Amino acid sequence: MAGGGILGGGRSSWGYGHPAAARQIGGRWWQQEVKRRERWLVALGIVLHAIYMLSIFDIYFKTPIVHGMDPVPQRFSPPAKRLVLFVADGLRADKFFEPDSDGRFRAPFLRSVIKEKGRWGISHARPPTESRPGHVAIIAGFYEDPSAVTKGWKANPVEFDSVFNRSRHTFAFGSPDIIPIFCRSVPHSTWATYPHEYEDFASDASFLDQWSFDQFHSLLNRSRNDPKLRQMLLQDKLVIFLHLLGCDTNGHAHRPYSSIYLSNVKVVDKIAEDVYNLLENYFNDNQTTYVFTADHGMSDKGSHGDGHPSNTDTPLVAWGAGIKNPGWLISDSLSDDGFRFVDEHKHDMPTPTEWGLRGIERVDVNQADLAPLMATIVGLPCPVNSVGNLPLGYLSLNKAEEVEAVFANTKQILNQFLQKSRLKQLSSLYFRPYKPLANFSSFLDQIEDLIAAKEYKAALKTCHILRAMSLEGLHYFQTYDWLMLMATITLGYIGWMINLTLHVLQSYTFLGNIFLKKTQESSLRITKKHVYLGGCLLMSLLSVILYLENSPLLYHAYISMTVFLWTQILSKLQLLNAIWKELSSRNFISNMKLLSVLVMSFIILEFLVASFFNRKLYTWFFLMAGILAALHLFFIASGRHIMALYLWSSCWFLSMFTLMPAEIPDNNPLVVASGGLIVLIGMASRWLQSSSRCDNFKLYIVQMSEQRSQFHKLFLVQASLVVVSSLMVWLSTSHRNLKKELLPVHQLINWSIAVVSMILPLFSPPSILSRLTSIFLGFAPPFLLLSIGYEAVFYSALALVLMGWISLECVNLYSAEYQGPLHVRSLEDNPTGGGYNARSLQLSDIRIPLFFMVLFNIAFFGTGNFASIASFEISSVYRFITIFSPFLMAALLIFKLFIPFLLVICVFSAISKLIRVPRLGCYFIVIIFSDLMTIHFFFLVRNTGSWMEIGNSISHFGLMSAQIFDMGTTTNGPYSFSSELFRCYLFLECSLH
């Protein structure tokens, strides 16, 4: 085959595994040396990726919470003695404010409050719009702690301050998922929760809200006969919290436009009215403040978590002691002042006309602003971890009190900055302060002077400036180590890829001989001993610095790994010098060819990165790929028009699937019909094998010997199992649609078909097409039984494209090499590593790992988002199991996702055998390309947004990093787990013969 080495230029058929090359480089000793080096590389790669995968938790997911700050007390008398907080979990703002279809509003009491004695607005939640972070923002004043990812987002791993902590006493009633988060560690609290079993999605959950009210009502009744309890209720700085879960549960179960959800809005309004009347009669002192809000909204699909307005916009109504009366607007025309809330919504957004509130002043806030609001009203120090801004639009205070309240809020945020600065300075040998606040005390003195001079407007402005700078300073110290860590990790990945590239060039290209000769002739006198000594000294020096700075142990691991990798590179200066001389000796055209291939490879890899965020890109890719493949085939094999048409049509067929929704709709007839399509593809493969005896080119594709195959019965058995599995799909689904349980006999048949069908490929003939067809048919039954819709057809479409890839490679090889009689090869010829007389890698061979990576990704993302298991339907497993069993269900779901990828692995192994390229060399190039994508995803990891967005960004990084974990060490070198599994199908010899 003509073509240059991997660096371009030259023609050689010598490479690792070639007998002549082996003799020239040292024979068996060289092969053993290569295997030893590969074992070392694989072990190093596994350790490196395991360590570097943890780096995102030190960079992106460190808690922003610090301890050790003193609370800032208020310097004026509070307007209220007690606070009542209602949180209607999952209540959307629009469903709360808008009228019913008959024109009646769902919350008549709270609307009367808005119009007569209180203030209202929208509380803007920041994604993730989930219950725990929403309540933390309301009660503690800060947004989602990113370190909660280490707890599976179920709890905060770090203790934090809250309004409840600062209260004299807190009474709380509601959900067992929320109340304990804030009250379990608060000794001065009285709380109760209902059992988890009450949260039944099959019923109307509004009774949960009534339960919370009944508990509080019972508390008041008991206090009349309990002097101690009554004394608790009469003291100041009291907080009462009612968590109302009904809207959230009903929204999930019945959707937020359902009558059950909308009726629940009326329930929470009635509860707010009843609590108000109870407390006003009980205390009768006008010293109670009421705040009604929600932690998040609810999408039309009955979910929440992202930044859609239906999830971030929540109602806010406040009234009682210390709250302003309604403000009336003269004009509704508002200009954009540039301010943005945490959900990126504009300030002073117009109020929808249908709400009927356009003439009443609306005061929108960020959700975290509620914590300082509630603390100020009852005279509590603001929670020390709060980043909320006190919303003066709700408070009925004089000018002096307003400034004092804002000043206390500002000093509380400044204290967090000062504590973070102090802690970082104590642990840094070279401390880089946040310069804008180097003279923070002058700001404090200036504000005190302005207050003393009663220049309240100027004092407020200065407070706002100081607060904004303090928040910027908090972000500065939160990201203080980012530059060092990101640079270290990036250099580590680059060093790893360079080491891997040098190994591929040295072991799998004809340049290995040239490098060996030039290395021996090199005039460089730097020995490995000197380089290793320098590396050890540098590593020791950096470790001492990190130790003196009290850095975490993982920081030592990151630095040490990076220094070690670059030490390895510098120890090969002679090899690098030889590469440079080889490049310099080549002509301009050869180097431009090399550069163009590298640029094109980089563009394809960036396309793959983009495809993680937009599956539809694959549609355009395969539309273009079909045309280009057909044109390529037309020009190099002009007589193969049918094959060109096949390549074009198969690529276009596959391109349709990434236009379809990731949430697969049920389509049982389509799953059944796809079984017939699978059988037809198997029959076409059998026909191609039987008709190849008179056609050298077809014989070249199928790679069969002249001896007639004796495995027709195996094909018939496998095809029959596909048909039976299709029938079981129809039978099992029909039975379940009748609201009946899965019959044990159906379950037994489905499991038996799946297991037996996967064993049968072990007995298939060793020729390429026969073995691949058998594997395709063998995994079709379990895939069909796990399918619910169009993904069953995707299995066939992917197989057609994979067969097209094999055909294209055969055409290339046939056109370049075929002269005279065809020397057919069995898959059993030296099935190990590269030991089937593999030639050296050439520049054009880069297409093999690139094609593999594209097909690898389409196999994972063709019918969903592999990075998020949530995008796949759990009903896929109902033909095997219906009783909830999370581990078995997850295992079946993941197995279904891996089946298409396993087909790609089989074809990749078959093609490397077919065109005689060293499979391990190609796989190392795949690892290099994967790590280029890993670096990109490393910078795309998110610690803000919905949990799905955060989780997907982690998954993207983890999926690419985990490529190396599929590699193990055997006597034949590294194998991916799936390649190891299928090599027993592709290259099995002992068990068959």
Side-chain angles (χ1 to χ4, degrees):
M1 183 186 232
I6 202 167
L7 289 177
R11 174 185 175 93
S12 174
S13 61
W14 285 13
Y16 167 57
H18 193 285
R23 284 194 299 270
Q24 181 170 335
I25 308 175
R28 185 174 298 276
W29 172 86
W30 175 251
Q31 294 186 35
Q32 293 175 349
E33 176 64 19
V34 169
K35 290 181 180 180
R36 182 196 64 79
R37 191 186 306 146
E38 285 172 348
R39 293 191 187 99
W40 178 84
L41 276 172
V42 171
L44 175 65
I46 290 174
V47 173
L48 176 142
H49 286 79
I51 291 174
Y52 284 178
M53 281 178 69
L54 297 175
S55 66
I56 60 172
F57 299 101
D58 281 323
I59 297 173
Y60 296 102
F61 298 101
K62 266 197 165 181
T63 180
I65 299 173
V66 290
H67 300 97
M69 298 84 65
D70 293 327
V72 181
Q74 291 182 176
R75 301 192 297 194
F76 63 94
S77 299
K81 293 179 63 177
R82 68 195 67 88
L83 167 78
V84 181
L85 172 63
F86 306 91
V87 177
D89 203 310
L91 178 57
R92 276 170 57 157
D94 57 345
K95 300 302 180 186
F96 175 78
F97 290 116
E98 71 185 15
D100 277 331
S101 56
D102 59 1
R104 295 181 179 180
F105 291 98
R106 302 184 185 106
F109 169 72
L110 290 172
R111 283 188 71 83
S112 68
V113 167
I114 293 171
K115 292 183 175 182
E116 298 170 8
K117 53 189 172 187
R119 285 280 167 143
W120 77 286
I122 299 296
S123 173
H124 295 268
R126 191 181 85 167
T129 46
E130 304 285 351
S131 291
R132 181 183 56 81
H135 282 85
V136 169
I138 293 169
I139 300 169
F142 67 90
Y143 298 105
E144 176 63 283
D145 181 356
S147 69
V149 68
T150 61
K151 296 285 186 179
W153 303 118
K154 295 296 183 183
N156 269 76
V158 180
E159 290 295 324
F160 57 89
D161 194 16
S162 72
V163 172
F164 295 176
N165 290 29
R166 297 295 163 190
S167 68
R168 187 95 61 193
H169 199 90
T170 294
F171 295 92
F173 306 98
S175 168
D177 299 314
I178 297 299
I179 301 297
I181 294 176
F182 301 95
C183 298
R184 179 179 285 127
S185 59
V186 178
H188 51 275
S189 65
T190 302
W191 53 281
T193 64
Y194 40 77
H196 280 284
E197 293 76 20
Y198 281 21
E199 299 175 18
D200 186 359
F201 288 91
S203 62
D204 182 354
S206 60
F207 78 93
L208 299 177
D209 302 340
Q210 193 64 44
W211 184 96
S212 298
F213 171 75
D214 291 343
Q215 293 295 311
F216 177 64
H217 193 183
S218 175
L219 178 81
L220 292 182
N221 289 336
R222 292 198 312 270
S223 70
R224 301 182 191 278
N225 301 315
D226 186 341
K228 184 177 180 181
L229 178 57
R230 182 170 177 79
Q231 186 62 36
M232 284 185 187
L233 289 168
L234 291 176
Q235 60 190 342
D236 63 351
K237 296 180 172 57
L238 182 73
V239 175
I240 299 167
F241 173 43
L242 295 185
H243 177 246
L244 311 175
L245 186 64
C247 287
D248 184 74
T249 304
N250 283 328
H252 286 308
H254 309 287
R255 307 296 185 267
Y257 46 79
S258 65
S259 59
I260 292 179
Y261 180 91
L262 299 178
S263 296
N264 207 146
V265 178
K266 300 175 183 179
V267 171
V268 297
D269 178 73
K270 186 64 169 62
I271 289 174
E273 181 180 15
D274 290 345
V275 170
Y276 171 74
N277 292 330
L278 278 174
L279 291 180
E280 291 303 304
N281 291 330
Y282 186 92
F283 294 109
N284 196 26
D285 60 359
N286 295 322
Q287 290 289 297
T288 308
T289 303
Y290 304 86
V291 176
F292 178 94
T293 187
D295 55 346
H296 57 76
M298 182 74 63
S299 73
D300 288 341
K301 295 188 299 182
S303 62
H304 51 83
D306 61 23
H308 191 274
S310 63
N311 290 326
T312 61
D313 289 358
T314 63
L316 174 60
V317 182
W319 74 100
I323 300 296
K324 287 182 179 179
N325 289 322
W328 300 95
L329 297 175
I330 300 175
S331 172
D332 288 340
S333 59
L334 300 171
S335 59
D336 184 6
D337 58 5
F339 179 82
R340 295 294 182 271
F341 291 100
V342 290
D343 56 1
E344 298 301 324
H345 294 177
K346 294 179 181 179
H347 190 230
D348 290 333
M349 290 283 286
T351 300
T353 305
E354 60 269 21
W355 291 5
L357 298 171
R358 298 198 74 169
I360 305 175
E361 185 180 357
R362 165 180 157 187
V363 184
D364 288 7
V365 300
N366 285 321
Q367 197 170 61
D369 298 342
L370 295 179
L373 172 65
M374 294 187 296
T376 301
I377 284 174
V378 289
L380 302 174
C382 191
V384 296
N385 304 119
S386 171
V387 294
N389 182 32
L390 181 65
L392 292 177
Y394 282 85
L395 292 171
S396 179
L397 302 174
N398 61 42
K399 292 296 182 182
E401 290 173 338
E402 284 184 352
V403 174
E404 288 290 354
V406 172
F407 190 31
N409 179 216
T410 301
K411 287 196 289 185
Q412 170 264 320
I413 296 175
L414 176 64
N415 284 350
Q416 292 183 70
F417 162 80
L418 295 175
Q419 180 68 355
K420 278 202 169 189
S421 177
R422 187 183 69 83
L423 292 175
K424 181 55 66 175
Q425 186 172 10
L426 288 175
S427 62
S428 298
L429 293 179
Y430 173 69
F431 176 66
R432 305 185 308 277
Y434 182 64
K435 294 181 180 178
L437 284 178
N439 296 316
F440 69 91
S441 58
S442 63
F443 281 95
L444 297 176
D445 294 338
Q446 182 183 358
I447 295 170
E448 293 282 11
D449 292 341
L450 290 171
I451 293 174
K454 297 186 179 181
E455 296 183 21
Y456 300 129
K457 187 175 181 180
L460 279 175
K461 183 177 180 180
T462 308
C463 284
H464 289 147
I465 293 173
L466 179 58
R467 177 184 177 276
M469 287 194 297
S470 298
L471 290 174
E472 291 173 1
L474 285 173
H475 178 74
Y476 172 80
F477 285 112
Q478 182 69 18
T479 60
Y480 189 86
D481 292 329
W482 278 25
L483 179 61
M484 181 273 290
L485 289 174
M486 285 183 162
T488 299
I489 301 302
T490 303
L491 286 173
Y493 275 118
I494 293 173
W496 159 253
M497 290 186 290
I498 293 175
N499 273 287
L500 212 53
T501 301
L502 293 177
H503 171 72
V504 171
L505 293 177
Q506 193 174 13
S507 304
Y508 294 108
T509 74
F510 83 97
L511 298 174
N513 293 338
I514 299 174
F515 294 158
L516 182 63
K517 182 178 179 181
K518 289 188 176 182
T519 299
Q520 293 171 346
E521 297 172 353
S522 176
S523 60
L524 292 172
R525 290 293 177 262
I526 301 177
T527 65
K528 287 187 177 182
K529 186 181 296 184
H530 295 143
V531 174
Y532 288 147
L533 179 60
C536 289
L537 290 175
L538 179 60
M539 193 182 300
S540 301
L541 176 62
L542 294 175
S543 294
V544 169
I545 293 174
L546 292 175
Y547 175 78
L548 294 175
E549 292 190 339
N550 296 317
S551 298
L553 286 177
L554 278 175
Y555 282 29
H556 294 260
Y558 305 147
I559 292 287
S560 299
M561 184 63 70
T562 300
V563 172
F564 174 76
L565 289 167
W566 283 94
T567 301
Q568 288 294 119
I569 294 171
L570 294 176
S571 70
K572 300 173 182 176
L573 276 178
Q574 294 169 322
L575 176 59
L576 292 170
N577 185 56
I579 293 174
W580 175 251
K581 288 182 178 179
E582 179 66 23
L583 284 172
S584 302
S585 66
R586 294 176 180 272
N587 58 45
F588 177 77
I589 295 177
S590 297
N591 285 329
M592 287 305 297
K593 181 181 178 183
L594 171 63
L595 180 62
S596 62
V597 169
L598 294 178
V599 169
M600 182 56 65
S601 300
F602 181 77
I603 291 173
I604 292 175
L605 294 177
E606 286 301 298
F607 159 81
L608 292 177
V609 170
S611 71
F612 275 66
F613 305 97
N614 185 2
R615 295 169 57 241
K616 293 180 181 178
L617 290 175
Y618 285 110
T619 297
W620 293 104
F621 178 87
F622 280 100
L623 288 175
M624 292 187 292
I627 296 173
L628 294 176
L631 289 175
H632 174 74
L633 199 61
F634 180 81
F635 285 113
I636 69 170
S638 56
R640 303 290 173 180
H641 301 305
I642 295 179
M643 185 171 291
L645 180 63
Y646 167 77
L647 281 172
W648 171 77
S649 58
S650 62
C651 286
W652 280 41
F653 184 32
L654 186 63
S655 70
M656 297 189 305
F657 290 91
T658 46
L659 291 176
M660 297 181 183
E663 297 177 358
I664 303 173
D666 288 350
N667 194 331
N668 194 49
L670 186 61
V671 178
V672 175
S674 64
L677 178 60
I678 290 170
V679 173
L680 287 176
I681 293 173
M683 293 172 65
S685 173
R686 294 292 298 171
W687 171 83
L688 182 61
Q689 294 177 66
S690 62
S691 64
S692 65
R693 296 174 60 82
C694 302
D695 188 328
N696 276 337
F697 178 71
K698 289 182 180 179
L699 190 61
Y700 204 89
I701 294 178
V702 301
Q703 291 291 311
M704 287 180 60
S705 63
E706 293 294 330
Q707 184 179 358
R708 187 173 179 83
S709 175
Q710 301 297 321
F711 293 94
H712 298 293
K713 292 182 180 179
L714 176 63
F715 171 77
L716 293 175
V717 172
Q718 289 189 296
S720 300
L721 287 175
V722 173
V723 173
V724 173
S725 65
S726 298
L727 294 175
M728 291 306 301
V729 166
W730 174 80
L731 189 61
S732 300
T733 306
S734 300
H735 195 77
R736 183 166 55 86
N737 288 341
L738 296 175
K739 307 298 182 183
K740 296 181 179 180
E741 295 181 358
L742 180 65
L743 292 177
V745 64
H746 290 177
Q747 193 173 12
L748 178 62
I749 293 173
N750 292 342
W751 278 102
S752 300
I753 291 173
V755 173
V756 171
S757 65
M758 290 188 292
I759 296 174
L760 291 179
L762 290 169
F763 305 99
S764 61
S767 59
I768 287 179
L769 191 58
S770 297
R771 185 62 55 84
L772 290 176
T773 302
S774 183
I775 293 172
F776 168 69
L777 293 173
F779 279 85
F783 194 82
L784 287 174
L785 291 168
L786 288 167
S787 297
I788 62 170
Y790 70 81
E791 79 273 32
V793 185
F794 172 80
Y795 182 76
S796 298
L798 179 63
L800 291 173
V801 169
L802 291 172
M803 188 60 221
W805 184 21
I806 294 176
S807 302
L808 191 61
E809 293 297 338
C810 285
V811 169
N812 291 335
L813 199 60
Y814 183 83
S815 301
E817 288 190 351
Y818 182 66
Q819 296 176 357
L822 178 66
H823 300 285
V824 298
R825 294 180 296 278
S826 164
L827 282 174
E828 297 175 349
D829 296 337
N830 285 327
T832 61
Y836 42 79
N837 197 24
R839 60 175 174 80
S840 63
L841 284 171
Q842 299 172 348
L843 185 60
S844 59
D845 292 329
I846 286 184
R847 72 184 185 280
I848 305 299
L850 284 174
F851 286 170
F852 169 77
M853 292 193 69
V854 171
L855 292 167
F856 168 94
N857 280 274
I858 194 67
F860 277 158
F861 293 98
T863 59
N865 178 8
F866 181 76
S868 176
I869 295 297
S871 72
F872 294 91
E873 185 60 51
I874 192 65
S875 61
S876 298
V877 305
Y878 286 169
R879 299 186 188 103
F880 290 95
I881 183 172
T882 55
I883 299 173
F884 183 68
S885 177
F887 293 107
L888 180 57
M889 287 179 167
L892 288 170
L893 198 57
I894 292 172
F895 176 68
K896 173 192 173 183
L897 305 182
F898 269 93
I899 288 176
F901 168 61
L902 298 177
L903 289 183
V904 178
I905 280 287
C906 291
V907 172
F908 172 75
S909 297
I911 286 176
S912 62
K913 170 71 178 179
L914 183 69
I915 64 177
R916 302 193 309 278
V917 294
R919 184 168 49 252
L920 301 183
C922 285
Y923 196 81
F924 278 128
I925 296 175
V926 169
I927 296 299
I928 294 170
F929 287 161
S930 297
D931 282 334
L932 279 170
M933 295 174 63
T934 300
I935 293 176
H936 195 139
F937 284 123
F938 173 68
F939 289 96
L940 294 178
V941 173
R942 298 182 56 174
N943 58 8
T944 59
S946 70
W947 288 345
M948 180 175 289
E949 291 165 341
I950 296 170
N952 282 352
S953 71
I954 298 173
S955 298
H956 295 162
F957 173 72
L959 279 173
M960 300 316 300
S961 296
Q963 292 289 315
I964 192 68
F965 292 101
D966 283 342
M967 300 174 70
T969 303
T970 69
T971 56
N972 293 323
Y975 297 78
S976 73
F977 169 77
S978 47
S979 183
E980 178 77 33
L981 176 64
F982 278 87
R983 195 149 297 145
C984 67
Y985 292 151
L986 290 169
F987 305 109
L988 193 65
E989 66 180 52
C990 297
S991 62
L992 295 181
H993 301 286

